[in-house]
């Protein structure tokens, strides 16, 4: 049931109950299904940055692909400005695609090595032909290059002649070429060096202030997320286990997984490194082909009880703040993991 | 000037060095000329300790590791220096002698565990291979040793999984297998080149824990090559910071990170997000590393350094420092730390 | 970072304006070709063969068919009988050199259109199938399997017996038999490319399959396919010669290299040159084409082009090392 009647005021993007499974071959005969997303609810406001954290296989990349309409969800709805983009066809669909763009993790693989910077940046206009008149394109490319801190003279250079940071700038310019409302940034700085990473993060912040664009910022680096995000959603095995404002999540995590994640992330700025108590999770993330019953996290959780294996915990507001929700039967107390997480 | 002279007689702690790299230089031939990828790099690693070779991409840290392991690309040549491993100079040895040392003396763990394992052999066979080559064990005995190793590095159900192929293991497990293979012959020095970069944080913590345990248990010297300040901070005892092919600062990691002396180290530490308030622009080092084909005269960092003066252009600063192994290659570091 | 492209360690250019060295313009293809002696030689060789094929028959008149029973089986490499017989003569006293030149035209007239046709059809089909996956891929691959499992020589024999053997039918049969080769290669490469990030990136703009194939898949797959095509050129020439040998290919008095090899085979004991020279012509043409193709493969790839300009030899560096060790 598409929620096409959502009020125009409200979040820019609302996802509810998104579920997506893939068929994967299990043996020579027959296949089984891998549940990459399992009932994901999310909202994104105009001009906001939503941080999406979680380990590989948690479904954040699939979520990004659904938001970009590269995958169609099996169940659940996506509402963008009150419209369900999956119900659109033809020209309307093309016009919608323009509004959500992506910056990729790997600045090496996401740029075709056979095209130069100008061709790369103007590539979206080959599909959206009416957006920028042909005679203005060279000028627009120049402006975009300057906007992301490159020189107009770089237009005719090929990706491999640029450094990683510069390549990521080209990727950002390409995402901006269609003047989008939302940019999904999939680990945009994880392939970059520290000093370059700072420059790219600053650039993203400047562009947001200037253009009012919203970001969905996917990252495994918690210190980066803490720096850029207004709100954070923590994902584990296809589901969102905790959401809240960045400050709340980092200083007062209520889901045991969030607490463990925060405590295993190393930081060079922490002087108490050796003495700090660490929640070292045992084992690895279970296979999404065969997820645990009840609570997904229970196999690695120190607080799990019988109830956790029987029923999946509902998503509930914790700490009296309606914006801070967690999916846990036994959420941590307000002070429990605060010490491990607040360093830095 | 005194500082310069002192640097030649750097004092070292007395415990024996497992490996001593002295003045190592590596050149790479490129179409646009010769790139000096590693320039006069010297460091010492001791048994039972971890040295982090820290730097950004292109700083020469991986080239240093490859040169030590003898795995350089054909377009790269070692053009100077000595690598002393238990009294022998690795660079003076022939190829076959070097091969004999690979494993029992020196081993390397790569970042990409999937490509470092051969996809068409079972992990049991691959893990047993070092024993077959160096100790001449039978297939069966080698396999038993492989299973022991797998158990040691924390692979559950090792006996039954020895018959599995690399792709049937997760990323973390594959990294454990690589580590098992590297430590199989109890090397005295283990080079780990970005061992956890491809892994998730919770798995990364487990792998680093494993490396630390193995190092202590087998009294290895561990050289941790990384770009990740956080990983270095948590898991290394000493650090050598590299920039543009040369070491710019060394010392015990706690001290270096608490009070960095070289302007580059200071800049690097200040660009870590989390230092300032969220939302504030991050600090960064302006500019970018020099083209290694045309490293500027004097100090390679001077074009990005706020302390730079004429002397920095004319004199290359040497590593110089105090008794505790704290060294820095900067003419004016004292001013920076005072400021 | 640990292996492969040595430039990954050093190729990073300064991030800031001003400090950057002027961007090196990609060198012109022709200038690159002149630098590579082997590729240059291959190009000259092909040019010569092509010139023979085009102009040869006009210049030579009927020299290739003129029989001279006083000059039967003359050995090669002597000028006693004039330039025309420098490569000897066959059992009817015809000049081998002249026949080689004339045969080049027929050989090319069969091989070039056959290779081109199968290349174009197979590549386009394969890229389409590989990009879209699913049933389109399955059906295409089964068709390819069927065609390939049927020996192409047998197929040709059947078809050519039914229809009258002519250059046109020969081209058609060879083209159909070779389509699966390109289809398979193009499909595999295109399916792999489809999962590349830059194709994903194009999909996020809303680009359609056709334009992604044209813009991203085709330019990347083309070098591989061209290499396959040059190798296939050799195969097609040899198939044509087998068919000619069986009497259903090129019909005398027309001539092709393959036919010449076939005819000369009976006299290999007494007059080896009749079969060996056309054979050599086939080999040298193929080798030249392959060399040039592998050169072009590097030269047209902006990411690989530098390999052609790397100075060779490590002699100097090794010498310096030895000197160092001696000290």
């Amino acid at each position: 049931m598409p929620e096409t009647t959502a009020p125009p005021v409200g979040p820019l993007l609302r996802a509810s109950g998104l579920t997506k499974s893939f068929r994967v071959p299990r043996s020579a005969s027959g296949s089984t299904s891998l549940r990459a997303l399992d009932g994901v609810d999310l909202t994104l406001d105009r001009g906001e940055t939503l941080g999406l954290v979680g380990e590989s296989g948690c479904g954040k990349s699939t979520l990004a692909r659904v938001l970009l309409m590269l995958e169609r969800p099996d169940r659940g709805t996506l509402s963008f400005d009150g419209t369900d983009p999956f119900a659109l066809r033809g020209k309307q669909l093309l016009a919608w695609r323009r509004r959500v763009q992506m910056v990729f993790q790997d600045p090496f693989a996401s740029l075709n090595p056979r095209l130069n910077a100008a061709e790369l940046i103007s590539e979206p206009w080959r599909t959206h032909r009416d957006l920028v008149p042909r005679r203005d394109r060279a000028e627009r490319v120049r402006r975009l290059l300057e906007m992301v801190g490159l020189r107009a003279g770089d237009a005719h250079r090929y990706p491999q002649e640029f450094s990683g940071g510069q390549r990521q700038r080209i990727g950002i310019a390409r995402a901006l070429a269609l003047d989008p409302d939302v940019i999904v940034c999939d680990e945009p700085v994880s392939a970059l060096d520290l000093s370059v990473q700072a420059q790219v993060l600053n650039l993203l912040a400047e562009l947001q202030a200037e253009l009012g664009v919203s970001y969905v910022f996917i990252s495994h680096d918690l210190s980066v997320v803490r720096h850029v995000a207004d709100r954070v959603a923590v994902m584990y095995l296809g589901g969102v286990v905790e959401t809240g404002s960045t400050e709340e999540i980092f200083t007062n995590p209520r889901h045991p997984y969030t607490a463990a994640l925060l405590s295993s992330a190393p930081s060079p700025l922490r002087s108490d490194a050796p003495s700090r108590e660490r929640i070292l999770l045992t084992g690895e993330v279970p296979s999404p082909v065969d997820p645990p019953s009840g609570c997904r996290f229970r196999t690695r959780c120190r607080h799990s009880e019988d109830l956790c294996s029987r029923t999946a915990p509902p998503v509930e507001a914790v700490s009296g703040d309606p914006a801070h929700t967690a999916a846990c039967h036994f959420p941590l107390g307000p002070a429990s993991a605060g010490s491990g997480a607040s360093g830095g | 000037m005194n500082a310069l002279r002192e640097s030649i007689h750097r004092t070292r702690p007395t415990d024996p060095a497992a490996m001593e790299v002295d003045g190592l230089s590596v050149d790479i031939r490129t179409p646009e000329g010769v790139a000096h990828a590693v320039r006069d790099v010297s460091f010492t690693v001791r048994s039972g300790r971890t040295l982090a070779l820290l730097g950004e991409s292109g700083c020469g840290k991986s080239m240093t590791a490859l040169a030590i392991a003898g795995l350089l690309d054909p377009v790269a040549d070692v053009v100077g220096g000595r690598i002393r491993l238990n009294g022998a100079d690795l660079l003076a040895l022939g190829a076959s002698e070097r091969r004999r040392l690979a494993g029992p003396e020196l081993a390397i763990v790569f970042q990409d565990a999937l490509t470092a394992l051969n996809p068409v052999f079972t992990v049991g066979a691959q893990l047993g291979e070092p024993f077959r080559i160096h100790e001449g064990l039978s297939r069966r005995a080698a396999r038993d040793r492989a299973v022991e190793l797998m158990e040691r590095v924390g692979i559950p159900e090792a006996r039954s999984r020895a018959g599995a192929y690399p792709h049937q293991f997760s990323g973390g497990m594959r990294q454990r297998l690589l580590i098992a293979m590297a430590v199989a012959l109890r090397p005295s020095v283990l080079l780990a080149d970005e061992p956890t970069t491809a892994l998730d944080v919770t798995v990364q913590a487990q792998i680093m824990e494993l490396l630390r345990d193995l190092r202590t248990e087998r009294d290895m010297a561990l050289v941790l090559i990384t770009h990740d300040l956080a990983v270095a901070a948590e898991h290394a005892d000493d650090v050598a910071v590299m920039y543009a092919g040369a070491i710019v600062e060394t010392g015990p990691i706690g001290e270096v990170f608490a009070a960095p002396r070289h302007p580059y180290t200071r800049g690097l530490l200040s660009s870590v997000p989390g230092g300032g308030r969220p939302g504030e622009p991050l600090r960064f080092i302006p500019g970018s590393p020099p083209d290694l084909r045309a490293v500027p005269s004097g100090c390679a960092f001077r074009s990005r350094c706020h302390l730079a003066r004429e002397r920095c252009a004319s004199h290359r600063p040497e590593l110089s420092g105090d008794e505790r192994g704290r060294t820095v290659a900067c003419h004016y570091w004292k001013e920076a730390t005072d400021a | 970072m640990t292996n492969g492209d040595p430039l990954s360690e050093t190729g990073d250019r300064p991030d800031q304006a001003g400090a950057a060295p002027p961007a090196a313009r990609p060198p012109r293809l022709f200038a690159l070709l002149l630098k590579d002696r082997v590729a240059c030689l291959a190009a000259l060789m092909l040019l010569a063969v092509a010139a023979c094929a085009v102009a040869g028959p006009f210049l030579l008149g009927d020299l290739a068919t003129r029989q001279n029973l006083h000059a039967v089986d003359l050995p090669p490499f002597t000028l006693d009988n004039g330039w025309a017989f420098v490569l000897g003569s066959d059992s009817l006293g015809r000049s081998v050199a002249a026949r080689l030149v004339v045969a080049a035209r027929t050989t090319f007239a069969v091989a070039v259109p056959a290779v081109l046709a199968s290349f174009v059809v197979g590549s386009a089909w394969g890229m389409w199938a590989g990009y879209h996956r699913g049933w389109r891929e399955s059906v295409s691959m089964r068709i390819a399997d069927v065609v390939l499992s049927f020996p192409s020589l047998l197929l040709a024999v059947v078809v050519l017996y039914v229809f009258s053997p002519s250059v046109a039918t020969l081209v058609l049969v060879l083209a159909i038999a070779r389509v699966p080769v390109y289809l398979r290669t193009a499909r595999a490469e295109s399916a792999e490319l489809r999962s590349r990030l830059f194709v994903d990136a194009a999909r996020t703009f809303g680009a359609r399959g056709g334009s992604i194939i044209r813009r991203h898949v085709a330019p990347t797959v083309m070098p591989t396919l061209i290499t396959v095509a040059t190798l296939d050129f050799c195969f097609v020439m040899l198939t044509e010669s087998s068919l000619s040998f069986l009497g259903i290919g090129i019909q005398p008095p027309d001539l092709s290299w393959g036919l010449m090899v076939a005819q000369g085979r009976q006299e290999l004991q007494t007059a080896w040159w009749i079969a060996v020279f056309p054979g050599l012509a086939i080999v040298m043409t193929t080798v030249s084409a392959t060399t040039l193709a592998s050169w072009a493969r590097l030269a047209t790839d902006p990411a690989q082009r530098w390999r052609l300009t790397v100075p060779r030899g490590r002699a100097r560096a090794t010498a310096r090392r030895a000197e160092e060790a001696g000290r």
Side-chain angles (χ1 to χ4, degrees):
Chain A
M1 52 196 85
E3 257 184 275
T4 44
T5 53
V9 192
L12 178 63
L13 191 72
R14 177 192 293 279
S16 39
L18 289 183
T19 300
K20 174 79 193 171
S21 300
F22 295 101
R23 314 267 338 147
V24 288
R26 168 157 258 181
S27 57
S29 63
S31 59
T32 179
S33 91
L34 177 157
R35 183 156 283 194
L37 290 181
D38 195 0
V40 169
D41 300 323
L42 274 183
T43 59
L44 178 69
D45 283 328
R46 251 167 251 280
E48 182 190 48
T49 301
L50 172 70
L52 214 53
V53 300
E55 297 179 273
S56 52
C58 73
K60 50 189 193 213
S61 298
T62 308
L63 181 58
R65 292 177 68 85
V66 169
L67 294 180
L68 285 155
M69 291 191 62
L70 295 178
E71 305 282 354
R72 181 176 275 274
D74 304 333
R75 276 203 308 281
T77 58
L78 194 63
S79 151
F80 189 96
D81 250 357
T83 317
D84 179 1
F86 286 104
L88 298 178
R89 287 283 172 276
K91 274 211 151 58
Q92 280 177 307
L93 174 65
L94 197 60
W96 185 84
R97 276 197 185 277
R98 185 183 71 70
R99 303 181 63 181
V100 183
Q101 288 297 304
M102 180 152 184
V103 172
F104 292 85
Q105 166 177 12
D106 189 340
F108 296 79
S110 61
L111 302 177
N112 188 340
R114 288 172 179 272
L115 303 180
N116 67 30
E119 289 169 320
L120 286 165
I121 293 172
S122 58
E123 207 193 329
W125 302 329
R126 296 168 67 89
T127 305
H128 302 261
R129 288 168 193 281
D130 308 331
L131 198 67
V132 181
R134 200 169 284 275
R135 63 175 182 284
D136 296 346
R137 289 187 182 175
E139 173 61 18
R140 268 300 287 279
V141 165
R142 199 180 61 76
R143 285 227 310 277
L144 281 167
L145 279 171
E146 280 168 5
M147 203 185 250
V148 297
L150 293 172
R151 288 170 300 153
D154 291 332
H156 298 290
R157 291 166 66 191
Y158 286 87
Q160 54 279 7
E161 298 176 42
F162 291 99
S163 68
Q166 288 175 318
R167 271 180 253 210
Q168 199 56 299
R169 287 170 193 265
I170 295 175
I172 293 170
R174 180 173 63 179
L176 289 173
L178 293 178
D179 208 4
D181 296 319
V182 177
I183 297 182
V184 177
C185 304
D186 185 6
E187 302 267 13
V189 295
S190 65
L192 304 179
D193 277 322
L194 192 56
S195 59
V196 180
Q197 165 180 316
Q199 297 177 23
V200 171
L201 290 176
N202 287 348
L203 171 67
L204 287 172
E206 283 164 29
L207 292 171
Q208 185 169 50
E210 199 175 317
L211 307 169
V213 60
S214 308
Y215 293 132
V216 175
F217 196 98
I218 301 171
S219 181
H220 71 278
D221 188 332
L222 296 167
S223 54
V224 168
V225 170
R226 185 170 198 180
H227 180 78
V228 300
D230 302 309
R231 281 192 309 122
V232 173
V234 182
M235 290 186 72
Y236 185 80
L237 215 56
V240 174
V241 295
E242 187 165 4
T243 54
S245 73
T246 307
E247 207 42 38
E248 271 286 300
I249 294 282
F250 277 86
T251 54
N252 192 11
R254 306 305 289 274
H255 196 284
Y257 177 64
T258 313
L261 200 60
L262 290 174
S263 103
S264 39
S267 164
L269 303 172
R270 216 146 36 192
S271 48
D272 59 342
S275 62
R276 181 169 57 95
E277 194 222 350
R278 271 177 94 155
I279 312 170
L280 198 59
L281 285 182
T282 52
E284 294 181 31
V285 184
S287 161
V289 172
D290 187 18
S293 64
C295 174
R296 297 177 197 90
F297 183 58
R298 71 175 164 85
T299 51
R300 299 172 81 194
C301 182
R302 335 191 252 186
H303 308 285
S304 83
E305 293 179 21
D306 274 357
L307 175 65
C308 302
S309 62
R310 286 199 307 272
T311 22
V315 179
E316 284 170 340
V318 286
S319 29
D321 175 1
H324 188 178
T325 61
C328 184
H329 290 302
F330 309 104
L332 302 172
S336 159
S339 61
S342 62
Chain B
M1 267 305 160
N2 275 336
L4 261 170
R5 210 157 289 130
E6 260 175 40
S7 73
I8 299 157
H9 309 284
R10 272 204 304 285
T11 45
R12 295 201 181 90
T14 44
D15 52 333
M19 181 174 69
E20 218 171 320
V21 175
D22 187 20
L24 181 71
S25 297
V26 177
D27 280 0
I28 301 175
R29 278 171 284 122
T30 76
E32 288 89 32
V34 173
H36 308 287
V38 178
R39 301 182 297 135
D40 199 12
V41 159
S42 307
F43 60 85
T44 307
V45 278
R46 276 170 249 290
S47 302
R49 284 179 77 85
T50 303
L51 171 79
L53 214 52
L54 182 72
E56 301 185 286
S57 60
C59 73
K61 57 186 192 300
S62 286
M63 278 294 159
T64 306
L66 293 176
I68 295 170
L71 299 171
L72 282 176
D73 200 271
V75 298
D77 304 298
V78 175
V79 291
R82 258 166 289 276
I83 300 167
R84 293 204 174 281
L85 188 68
N86 286 354
D89 180 5
L90 280 187
L91 295 176
L93 295 180
S96 65
E97 289 173 86
R98 252 187 117 149
R99 259 201 305 280
R100 232 165 2 89
L101 290 182
E105 289 298 335
L106 181 74
I108 184 162
V109 177
F110 290 107
Q111 166 182 348
D112 191 348
L114 187 55
T115 53
L117 290 166
N118 189 331
V120 301
F121 291 107
T122 64
V123 300
Q126 288 186 66
L127 279 167
E129 206 172 289
F131 300 116
R132 284 164 56 80
I133 293 172
H134 286 274
E135 295 180 7
L137 292 189
S138 72
R139 205 175 283 273
R140 176 180 290 275
R143 194 184 163 92
D144 288 344
R145 293 284 290 275
V147 171
E148 265 171 51
L149 262 180
M150 285 170 73
E151 276 165 0
R152 173 59 199 92
V153 297
I155 289 170
E157 299 158 56
R159 188 153 291 277
S160 61
R161 300 214 70 190
Y165 289 89
H167 71 269
Q168 292 169 305
F169 290 82
S170 68
M173 285 300 154
R174 280 199 291 263
Q175 198 63 48
R176 286 174 192 269
L177 288 171
L178 267 199
I179 291 171
M181 208 142 110
V183 301
L185 298 168
R186 300 183 166 265
S188 46
V189 176
L190 180 64
L191 304 170
D193 189 359
E194 307 269 10
T196 60
T197 303
L199 303 175
D200 287 318
V201 275
T202 58
V203 180
Q204 175 176 313
Q206 297 168 6
I207 294 291
M208 290 311 302
E209 210 81 1
L210 172 66
L211 277 174
R212 184 202 296 258
D213 290 350
L214 285 169
R215 181 206 67 189
T216 314
E217 174 187 308
R218 310 192 163 195
D219 203 28
M220 285 188 300
L222 181 61
V223 182
L224 180 66
I225 292 135
T226 183
H227 70 282
D228 192 329
L229 274 70
V231 166
E234 300 240 334
H235 301 285
D237 304 302
D238 304 295
V239 65
V241 183
M242 285 188 76
Y243 179 78
I247 292 180
V248 296
E249 182 163 5
T250 65
I253 194 134
E255 286 180 41
V256 171
F257 278 21
R261 288 180 179 172
H262 197 280
Y264 174 67
T265 319
R266 298 168 68 82
L268 213 51
L269 280 161
S270 70
S271 41
V272 176
R277 231 172 301 133
E280 258 180 20
L282 291 166
R283 304 202 4 216
F284 60 88
I285 308 171
S288 58
D291 188 334
L292 292 175
R293 285 170 285 241
V295 181
S297 63
C299 174
F301 187 62
R302 69 183 156 88
S303 59
R304 305 171 73 186
C305 182
H306 64 283
L307 295 171
R309 299 181 207 160
E310 273 169 42
R311 188 173 152 72
C312 301
S314 54
H315 293 76
R316 181 175 168 187
E318 301 274 339
L319 269 180
S320 63
D322 54 30
E323 296 72 34
R324 287 167 305 139
R326 188 97 206 260
T327 64
V328 58
C330 178
H331 296 305
Y332 301 111
W333 66 268
K334 284 204 174 84
E335 293 175 30
T337 44
D338 292 344
Chain C
M1 246 212 58
T2 52
N3 51 15
D5 181 1
L7 285 186
S8 62
E9 276 274 330
T10 60
D12 284 5
R13 299 275 164 75
D15 228 42
Q16 220 64 2
R25 289 274 115 244
R28 291 276 184 77
L29 275 190
F30 189 64
L32 267 181
L33 181 61
L34 287 183
K35 271 192 181 170
D36 193 323
R37 245 173 278 151
V38 178
C40 216
L41 198 67
L44 284 178
M45 180 79 204
L46 280 183
L47 265 181
V49 173
C52 282
V54 173
F58 299 110
L59 297 179
L60 291 171
D62 67 342
L63 188 60
T65 47
R66 196 192 304 146
Q67 301 183 2
N68 178 357
L69 293 179
H70 298 294
V72 170
D73 288 347
L74 292 176
F77 307 127
T78 161
L79 287 178
D80 295 350
N81 309 298
W83 274 102
F85 294 99
V86 71
L87 295 182
S89 68
D90 67 6
S91 53
L92 293 175
R94 294 173 296 198
S95 153
V96 170
R99 287 173 70 78
L100 263 185
V101 168
V102 174
R105 160 173 280 193
T106 332
T107 306
F108 275 45
V110 173
V112 171
V115 167
L116 268 184
S118 52
F119 173 75
V120 170
V121 173
S123 308
W125 187 357
M127 285 188 281
W128 171 81
Y131 182 79
H132 290 288
R133 311 298 300 262
W135 63 268
R136 286 172 265 214
E137 187 183 23
S138 314
V139 171
S140 307
M141 292 322 288
R142 291 301 83 76
I143 294 175
D145 288 346
V146 168
V147 176
L148 271 188
S149 61
F150 211 77
S152 58
L153 202 59
L154 191 61
L155 180 79
V157 168
V158 171
V159 173
L160 290 171
Y161 263 119
V162 176
F163 302 97
S164 67
S166 73
V167 170
T169 34
L170 199 55
V171 166
L172 190 70
V173 166
L174 289 174
I176 292 174
R178 302 310 290 169
V179 160
V181 176
Y182 304 94
L183 174 57
R184 284 187 152 186
T185 315
R187 190 222 45 109
E189 294 262 326
S190 152
E192 191 269 325
L193 276 174
R194 195 206 140 90
S195 60
R196 292 272 196 93
L197 220 43
F198 62 76
V199 171
D200 257 4
R203 291 180 66 209
T204 63
F205 318 139
R208 286 171 196 288
S211 80
I212 292 178
I213 290 177
R214 270 199 307 282
R215 184 108 176 122
H216 294 290
V217 179
T220 314
V221 177
M222 212 42 77
T224 311
L225 288 175
I226 289 176
T227 313
V228 173
T230 49
L231 288 174
D232 211 42
F233 191 71
C234 164
F235 182 88
V236 167
M237 276 198 287
L238 293 175
T239 312
E240 178 259 311
S241 79
S242 315
L243 291 172
S244 303
F245 178 70
L246 292 174
I248 49 175
I250 300 299
Q251 302 295 311
D254 275 352
L255 264 180
S256 76
W257 288 344
L259 189 61
M260 286 176 75
V261 174
Q263 290 173 341
R265 203 150 28 172
Q266 299 131 345
E267 298 174 71
L268 212 48
Q269 300 280 339
T270 50
W272 54 266
W273 51 91
I274 303 176
V276 166
F277 287 120
L280 266 182
I282 294 179
V283 169
M284 282 168 73
T285 310
T286 322
V287 168
S288 303
T290 320
T291 310
L292 199 63
S294 70
W295 171 84
R297 186 189 169 90
L298 282 184
T300 54
D301 187 342
Q304 298 286 325
R305 205 178 275 145
W306 64 270
R307 287 184 189 277
L308 291 174
T309 55
V310 174
R312 279 160 204 256
R314 48 188 305 163
R316 230 179 326 149
T318 333
R320 221 169 337 145
R321 280 261 304 127
E323 195 185 82
E324 198 110 333
R327 264 195 272 128

